[in-house]
Amino acid sequence: EMDGAGGNGSSGSVMCQLVSAEGEQLGAALYLPHNVGPPQLQDIVNQLLHNEDKLPYAFYVGDEELSLQLGAFMQRNNATAEVTLRIVYQPQAVFRIRPVNRCSATIAGHTEAVLAVSFSPDGRCLASGSGDTTVRFWDLSTQTPLYTCKGHKNWVLCIAWSPDGKHLVSGSKSGELILWDPKTGNQLGAPLTGHRKWITAVSWEPVHLQSPSRRFVSASKDGDARIWDITTKKCVISLSGHTNAVTCVKWGGDGLIYTGSEDCLIKVWETTQGKLVKTLQGHGHWVNSLALSTEYVLRTGAYDHTGKTFSSPEEMKEAALARYEKMRGNAPERLVSGSDDFTMFLWEPTISKQPKARMTGHQKVVNHVYFSPDGQWLASASFDKSVKLWNGITGKFVAAFRGHVADVYQISWSADSRLLLSGSKDSTLKVWDIRARKLKQDLPGHADEVYAVDWSPDGEKVVSGGKDRVLKLWMN
């Protein structure tokens, strides 16, 4: 059966155990011949999972992608055939997003720095917020300004589309929130007031829990988070408990709200009465950024890369729920926190108050953390000029992307989880190839620091904005 330790090239076989990314074994261990490679492994996995439509998979042994036949892989790594080879299979998106490689439009309009940019959940509309106190909607087909929305008296620091695409909310430096109708550019009602200091973040209730979208949560420098109802235009619940500024907030797919604060804590809240469920401790300095493993499907709701539209809120809720459940699988929703203490923690808040992993390696402040759409990867951006890639399930370090020559401010993923975009103080955008672990595209063009970037959910375009006051659209 065995042809000497490791065998020679094509003859001989090796005992392999296929394992999911979550660590579940797929079937029993198999003796596989040395000439089996990724295409044959793909067939085996599809067969064992009874997939009617064949799906693409990537394979990993340890942290290394298996790209050769087993025999050659064993030889290269001086592995012996006596040990069972653990092969992790990872599903890949069935569609493929092409990297953006050129600036298709530079759109002037804002008269001060662009501080926030965001595509609508279906990728067809674009909004931005600026230091000039306006929110702007842009026409993507003509690449020109559509509406200029005046109503704030101070910088617009953050914007967020409702996951059903029907509303946009913006938060300002003076602590007020304004609701806008993207179809007309009109302000809906008076500004929502209550926060005593500036708004740091906004997150909507997922559409699979409530359709049409009705509630969102805001976080503020004043130490509170507030839940608002857009039909009554009132704050329905105030989440008080942090002893310092709340820097970030996420409304999770299981109906819990997560807040991160300068008091070094993360708090988990239920949303019917606003009760504190648990506090996650571990960071030694401010928490700057939170990411959810399900964030991408929560942001896009019912919309996916196919461009399908929906005739009713019920239909939308159903489609969003199916997408959420498929993406989440049986695993709990995972949370990652990034901090001024240079570290990150991976949590499974519904299961434990203890972190699943502590992720170290950045040399300076961790500014932004973001899970890939499929939840398999996590990317982090830091003032140490690097972007780092981690295993989104175990929290294990995978790779460092170096190329920026100054602070990295924001990152965004392509819908197929194969490419990562970063924007930096060095005035460039960069696109990184996740599987090749290297720079795919360098995108200079801005005259100054790039504060905000977003990759449209349909995958076709990237937007960037920053200190030079223009929006740039990038296409492939």
Side-chain angles (χ1 to χ4, degrees):
E1 182 79 42
M2 304 297 281
D3 206 355
N8 53 1
S10 59
S11 66
S13 58
V14 57
M15 179 73 98
C16 298
Q17 175 66 61
L18 287 159
V19 188
S20 76
E22 281 79 26
E24 290 163 24
Q25 297 192 349
L26 178 61
L30 306 163
Y31 269 116
L32 296 176
H34 278 180
N35 59 0
V36 164
Q40 293 81 10
L41 287 170
Q42 201 153 277
D43 291 341
I44 294 168
V45 170
N46 274 297
Q47 228 169 339
L48 289 172
L49 290 173
H50 310 295
N51 292 337
E52 283 175 30
D53 300 320
K54 275 174 96 175
L55 295 174
Y57 293 91
F59 299 94
Y60 291 86
V61 176
D63 289 327
E64 191 187 350
E65 183 169 356
L66 176 69
S67 49
L68 310 162
Q69 293 184 344
L70 293 170
F73 179 84
M74 302 285 284
Q75 238 169 356
R76 203 182 74 188
N77 293 344
N78 296 325
T80 69
E82 272 72 68
V83 185
T84 303
L85 202 59
R86 256 176 75 93
I87 302 177
V88 176
Y89 65 93
Q90 192 193 81
Q92 304 294 294
V94 285
F95 59 97
R96 192 171 272 278
I97 303 291
R98 293 188 315 213
V100 291
N101 55 22
R102 63 188 175 86
C103 179
S104 67
T106 300
I107 325 174
H110 282 299
T111 55
E112 289 294 335
V114 177
L115 303 177
V117 292
S118 184
F119 285 103
S120 61
D122 64 3
R124 290 178 193 168
C125 295
L126 171 64
S128 58
S130 163
D132 66 12
T133 77
T134 69
V135 167
R136 287 176 183 250
F137 291 98
W138 308 84
D139 185 330
L140 288 172
S141 48
T142 60
Q143 306 188 335
T144 55
L146 189 59
Y147 305 117
T148 300
C149 307
K150 297 178 176 170
H152 284 293
K153 297 173 194 58
N154 211 321
W155 301 355
V156 178
L157 299 176
C158 54
I159 56 175
W161 289 86
S162 61
D164 65 1
K166 306 250 189 297
H167 298 92
L168 181 97
V169 69
S170 54
S172 83
K173 201 178 172 202
S174 47
E176 73 210 356
L177 296 139
I178 296 182
L179 206 60
W180 309 93
D181 177 355
K183 277 198 171 54
T184 61
N186 292 339
Q187 181 174 329
L188 300 169
L192 306 173
T193 56
H195 281 299
R196 300 178 306 285
K197 288 186 180 167
W198 69 79
I199 309 295
T200 53
V202 174
S203 184
W204 285 83
E205 181 170 21
V207 76
H208 71 262
L209 298 176
Q210 163 66 44
S211 177
S213 298
R214 195 173 157 166
R215 298 192 297 169
F216 68 85
V217 59
S218 57
S220 167
K221 177 81 177 158
D222 65 14
D224 290 341
R226 289 172 173 259
I227 300 176
W228 307 83
D229 184 323
I230 66 171
T231 45
T232 62
K233 307 279 193 295
K234 287 195 165 57
C235 171
V236 282
I237 298 172
S238 187
L239 307 174
S240 300
H242 283 294
T243 56
N244 212 329
V246 183
T247 56
C248 42
V249 64
K250 297 288 174 199
W251 197 317
D254 298 334
L256 295 168
I257 285 175
Y258 307 94
T259 52
S261 165
E262 288 181 7
D263 65 9
C264 310
L265 302 174
I266 296 146
K267 290 188 181 286
V268 186
W269 315 81
E270 63 80 47
T271 56
T272 50
Q273 297 156 301
K275 281 205 188 84
L276 180 64
V277 180
K278 58 180 72 161
T279 298
L280 308 177
Q281 291 170 290
H283 283 298
H285 211 307
W286 299 357
V287 178
N288 292 324
S289 180
L290 290 173
L292 282 171
S293 55
T294 51
E295 197 161 328
Y296 200 82
V297 290
L298 298 183
R299 170 192 173 174
T300 50
Y303 297 105
D304 63 15
H305 66 281
T306 61
K308 186 177 178 320
T309 55
F310 303 90
S311 54
S312 71
E314 294 71 38
E315 196 189 341
M316 197 178 255
K317 186 174 182 178
E318 219 167 284
L321 182 61
R323 283 188 78 215
Y324 175 71
E325 286 178 340
K326 184 177 178 209
M327 190 269 142
R328 219 194 84 170
N330 312 325
E333 205 166 37
R334 300 182 301 285
L335 180 77
V336 162
S337 52
S339 166
D340 264 23
D341 66 10
F342 310 172
T343 75
M344 293 135 68
F345 281 106
L346 173 65
W347 314 85
E348 284 176 347
T350 50
I351 290 177
S352 169
K353 287 207 305 200
Q354 302 311 313
K356 190 171 172 182
R358 182 168 185 255
M359 301 146 80
T360 59
H362 279 298
Q363 308 294 309
K364 286 190 179 172
V365 168
V366 179
N367 190 46
H368 189 205
V369 288
Y370 206 175
F371 276 94
S372 61
D374 63 9
Q376 303 278 346
W377 307 105
L378 177 97
S380 56
S382 168
F383 285 2
D384 66 10
K385 309 175 196 170
S386 78
V387 175
K388 290 190 190 295
L389 183 71
W390 316 77
N391 181 308
I393 292 158
T394 63
K396 220 173 152 210
F397 173 74
V398 176
F401 294 133
R402 300 187 194 281
H404 283 298
V405 293
D407 304 0
V408 185
Y409 289 138
Q410 204 174 28
I411 45 185
S412 190
W413 286 89
S414 65
D416 63 358
S417 303
R418 288 187 178 97
L419 301 165
L420 178 68
L421 166 76
S422 55
S424 164
K425 183 177 181 169
D426 69 11
S427 84
T428 71
L429 282 75
K430 296 190 193 304
V431 178
W432 310 91
D433 183 319
I434 294 306
R435 279 175 77 176
R437 316 262 162 92
K438 59 174 198 267
L439 181 67
K440 182 92 176 170
Q441 205 74 47
D442 197 9
L443 303 171
H446 276 287
D448 213 325
E449 308 188 20
V450 179
Y451 295 141
V453 296
D454 195 21
W455 200 315
S456 71
D458 62 17
E460 285 169 18
K461 38 204 177 291
V462 157
V463 65
S464 57
K467 214 171 179 175
D468 65 5
R469 310 195 291 267
V470 297
L471 277 190
K472 282 187 180 285
L473 285 173
W474 309 80
M475 307 267 177
N476 45 29

